[in-house]
Every structure is written in C-alpha cells, then in structure tokens.
Amino acid sequence: TKFADNTLSDSVHSQFGEKRDDGTFDVEDLATGFIRFDNGATLQIEFSWASNVEEECNFYELRGTKAGAAFKNGKLKLFTEIAGTVSDVSPSLPGKGMNDHASHLFHFVDVLKGRAEPIILPEHGVDMIKILSAIYESAKQNKEIQL
C-alpha cells in the first residue's frame, strides 16, 4: 500500500485506487514472482505501474546454456558464441508499421472473421490464472506454492 497511506497530495499516483475502511487498497503498485516449471526452466516476472525509476521500460530476457536474448523497447539483441568468439547480434526485425497493441487487435478481428487461428488458446488463460493465483498464495503464506 505504497500510495494508500501516503498523504502527499501532489502525487499523481495517489489518484489511483480506493482505500477501504477494512484496510484493503484495491490497486497494486508492484508485483513480482518467480516460477519454476517442471522442465527446469524458470520465469522471473516484475510488473509495476508506479515505481520510482528513471524511465518505464518493457523488456524480456531469455537465458540459455548456449545463447541468450534481450528484447527491450522494440529492439532485439542475441548473445552467443560464433566461431569461439562471444558475439552480440542485433537483427533488424520486420515490422508492419504499427505498434504491438494495434497488431493484436487486428489479429483478434482476423480470428473472429475466421482468417486466422488464435495465438492464445483458452487453456493458456487457465494456466496463467493458476500461476497468478499461486503467486498471490505464495505471498500470503510466505512460501513456495507447488501446482
């Protein structure tokens, strides 16, 4: 409840959410999680809409035993070895000239009109909700939750 108990009237963040008499604040400013999958892969997530940081940044990082990748603010970098030399590669990504949100909306319309198959299936949503619920339960119990 970073902003729920804050009396700073000039904080733009204090305008979000509503504090209730029971102490519940209906908006989270930060959520983190660490998920370990059956195959040994791990996923670390962090979402925040109100952190005190230099700039908002959307990024993904993948780390493997032979290579890694970073996708930050629309730019992709690959990290690997080529002919025994550590190498960074920055490929040019083809684009349709629209942002990610718009391309998802166009895809949604294509699915509705039968021109495309959905990228995300209902079972993916069920798995996502199970993982999110486990993150909440882990925070509540202060321990790892196994699914």
Side-chain angles (χ1 to χ4, degrees):
T1 60
K2 179 178 176 182
F3 302 111
D5 298 322
N6 192 337
T7 58
L8 294 175
S9 60
D10 62 347
S11 172
V12 295
H13 300 308
S14 66
Q15 300 169 15
F16 294 96
E18 179 181 337
K19 185 176 181 181
R20 299 183 190 149
D21 290 337
D22 67 0
T24 300
F25 194 65
D26 67 354
V27 175
E28 295 174 2
D29 57 349
L30 172 69
T32 62
F34 185 85
I35 298 108
R36 184 179 19 244
F37 295 95
D38 290 340
N39 66 359
T42 59
L43 172 66
Q44 180 180 331
I45 60 171
E46 178 180 317
F47 300 95
S48 175
W49 61 270
S51 290
N52 294 316
V53 295
E54 180 179 10
E55 67 180 342
E56 184 174 326
C57 180
N58 296 311
F59 69 94
Y60 312 94
E61 292 180 340
L62 300 172
R63 299 176 187 154
T65 57
K66 306 234 182 232
F71 187 79
K72 182 177 180 181
N73 294 331
K75 295 182 181 178
L76 176 65
K77 275 191 173 182
L78 306 174
F79 311 100
T80 188
E81 287 187 24
I82 300 174
T85 303
V86 175
S87 303
D88 298 352
V89 179
S90 297
S92 295
L93 298 175
K96 298 178 183 177
M98 68 178 89
N99 65 35
D100 288 341
H101 183 70
S103 65
H104 286 294
L105 293 175
F106 281 112
H107 174 72
F108 179 73
V109 171
D110 286 341
V111 170
L112 292 177
K113 291 188 172 189
R115 297 188 299 237
E117 291 296 317
I119 297 170
I120 306 296
L121 301 173
E123 54 267 26
H124 297 145
V126 170
D127 290 340
M128 178 197 61
I129 294 300
K130 286 179 183 177
I131 291 171
L132 289 174
S133 296
I135 290 171
Y136 278 108
E137 190 63 26
S138 175
K140 183 178 177 182
Q141 294 187 29
N142 198 27
K143 67 177 190 173
E144 178 180 345
I145 302 297
Q146 292 190 358
L147 298 179

